[in-house]
Amino acid sequence: MASSKIILAAICIASFYLSASFAFPGHHEGAYPVGNSGLSPDYYKHTCPQADEIVVSILKKAIAKEQRIAASLLRLLFHDCFVQGCDASVLLDDTEEVVSEKNAIPNKNSIRGFEVIDEIKAALEEACPHTVSCADTIALAARASTVLSGGPYWELSLGRRDSKTANMKLANKNLPPPNATLHRLVKFFQRQGLDKVDLVALSGSHTIGMARCVSFKQRLYNQHRDNKPDITIEKGFYYTLVSTCPRTGGDNNLRPLEFVSPSKFDNSYYKLILEGKGLLNSDQVLWTGRDPEIADLVRSYVENESLFFEHYVNSIIKMGNTSPLVGSNGEIRKNCRRVNQEI
């Protein structure tokens, strides 16, 4: 099992760098036929063939400096696509015209990685001015972060354009909170056209990254507003968490979302859930939420990492194609933090 896992990771990484050596193709709107979504893997073939190489090069340095940034950039894709589609609205700062999604409750003091996106975008602008969108930059960074962490490679359709608006109200409505019940999680994903397989597979993104104590403290001290802990937490794991996250204070203390291999994209996340060692309520309820279909998927991913990778790729492609702006809709921002007329 271990050897097959290593071989699979090697194949994925080799495929990634083979792709990077040819870069990601592309074209101007209307120059070539594209899929039903208006996106194509060949989108930058003639206008910025080195786009993916640029993204990978910067990310390798950023991840070497701070491993956590891989998970942060992957999370940006989720928090972008779940709010009015994959349009880079999550990157917009507050202005007189824009109320930033960064200040929404699920995002404030939580989502991060904006400086790395800025660095990537600046390099893309220098190489291929006014060509690669911020929305595609997020998508490219999410894939590279996954692969550089040992996860699967997927063919990425490109051609998303950038929104001129943000929607903080929709961010508060559409982004699942860490204490969500399984029923609510299913509803949040259904709202995006995603099913139960997508929910379980994409939750596996929590195999890398960190979470603040405030995200799971309720489970430790007041799960059902009765001043008692969540009884589904494995006892030894509970005491470990309490030592990091006291009842009062320490809200910004960090814990790995998956402590066995927190910087490696693998199926350990699901193994821990089966043991009662899921960190967030939204993690653990995949197993304890009394949904046989979802529980079976968790068990399947524990037993077969390749199946997890296969489902993950299908689901993240599906999510990444959510309501993209294409053609003449939106714009190609020069600065991902501001719409063009404000620059």
Side-chain angles (χ1 to χ4, degrees), residues 83-84 88-105 107-108 111 163-172 333 337-339 342:
V83 182
Q84 70 180 31
S89 60
V90 72
L91 301 180
L92 289 170
D93 286 341
D94 273 327
T95 66
E96 291 183 3
E97 292 80 22
V98 173
V99 179
S100 177
E101 294 169 17
K102 296 175 183 178
N103 293 320
I105 293 170
N107 290 337
K108 194 169 185 178
I111 55 171
S163 69
K164 299 179 182 180
T165 62
N167 195 326
M168 186 173 76
K169 183 177 180 181
L170 201 59
N172 281 322
R333 289 184 218 142
R337 295 173 180 264
R338 296 174 177 81
V339 297
E342 296 177 12

Side-chain angles (χ1 to χ4, degrees), residues 71-132:
S72 299
L73 294 174
L74 180 56
R75 188 167 180 237
L76 273 184
L77 180 66
F78 283 76
H79 283 237
D80 185 35
C81 294
F82 267 59
V83 182
Q84 70 180 31
C86 308
D87 61 1
S89 60
V90 72
L91 301 180
L92 289 170
D93 286 341
D94 273 327
T95 66
E96 291 183 3
E97 292 80 22
V98 173
V99 179
S100 177
E101 294 169 17
K102 296 175 183 178
N103 293 320
I105 293 170
N107 290 337
K108 194 169 185 178
N109 299 320
S110 180
I111 55 171
R112 55 197 299 277
F114 301 111
E115 294 78 11
V116 177
I117 294 293
D118 291 341
E119 184 181 354
I120 293 170
K121 177 61 172 172
L124 290 169
E125 283 296 313
E126 183 177 350
C128 317
H130 200 62
T131 301
V132 182

Side-chain angles (χ1 to χ4, degrees), residues 10 14 45 75 82 94 107 153 157 172 177 219 248 302:
K45 182 174 183 178
R75 188 167 180 237
F82 267 59
D94 273 327
N107 290 337
Y153 172 89
S157 291
N172 281 322
R219 298 188 70 205
T248 57
V302 168

Side-chain angles (χ1 to χ4, degrees), residues 113-253:
F114 301 111
E115 294 78 11
V116 177
I117 294 293
D118 291 341
E119 184 181 354
I120 293 170
K121 177 61 172 172
L124 290 169
E125 283 296 313
E126 183 177 350
C128 317
H130 200 62
T131 301
V132 182
S133 69
C134 298
D136 278 345
T137 300
I138 293 175
L140 286 163
R143 183 184 62 177
S145 294
T146 302
V147 175
L148 289 170
S149 300
Y153 172 89
W154 61 93
E155 183 175 72
L156 180 60
S157 291
L158 300 165
R160 301 164 189 79
R161 288 168 64 85
D162 301 325
S163 69
K164 299 179 182 180
T165 62
N167 195 326
M168 186 173 76
K169 183 177 180 181
L170 201 59
N172 281 322
K173 177 183 178 182
N174 281 3
L175 293 170
N179 64 347
T181 63
L182 185 57
H183 176 75
R184 287 186 68 202
L185 285 173
V186 170
K187 294 295 184 184
F188 276 113
F189 274 69
Q190 285 177 340
R191 195 178 293 161
Q192 305 302 321
L194 301 171
D195 59 26
K196 290 181 179 180
V197 176
D198 301 319
L199 165 61
V200 182
L202 292 174
S203 293
S205 297
H206 286 178
T207 188
I208 57 174
M210 309 285 282
R212 297 183 302 150
C213 285
V214 69
S215 302
F216 57 89
K217 185 177 283 191
Q218 175 183 324
R219 298 188 70 205
L220 305 180
Y221 301 107
N222 195 24
Q223 174 71 339
H224 300 294
R225 299 182 181 179
D226 56 2
N227 290 315
K228 295 180 181 179
D230 182 352
I231 61 172
T232 68
I233 307 176
E234 191 273 333
K235 191 167 291 186
F237 185 53
Y238 167 78
Y239 288 118
T240 299
L241 295 180
V242 166
S243 69
T244 304
C245 303
R247 184 182 287 270
T248 57
D251 283 358
N252 291 323
N253 293 350

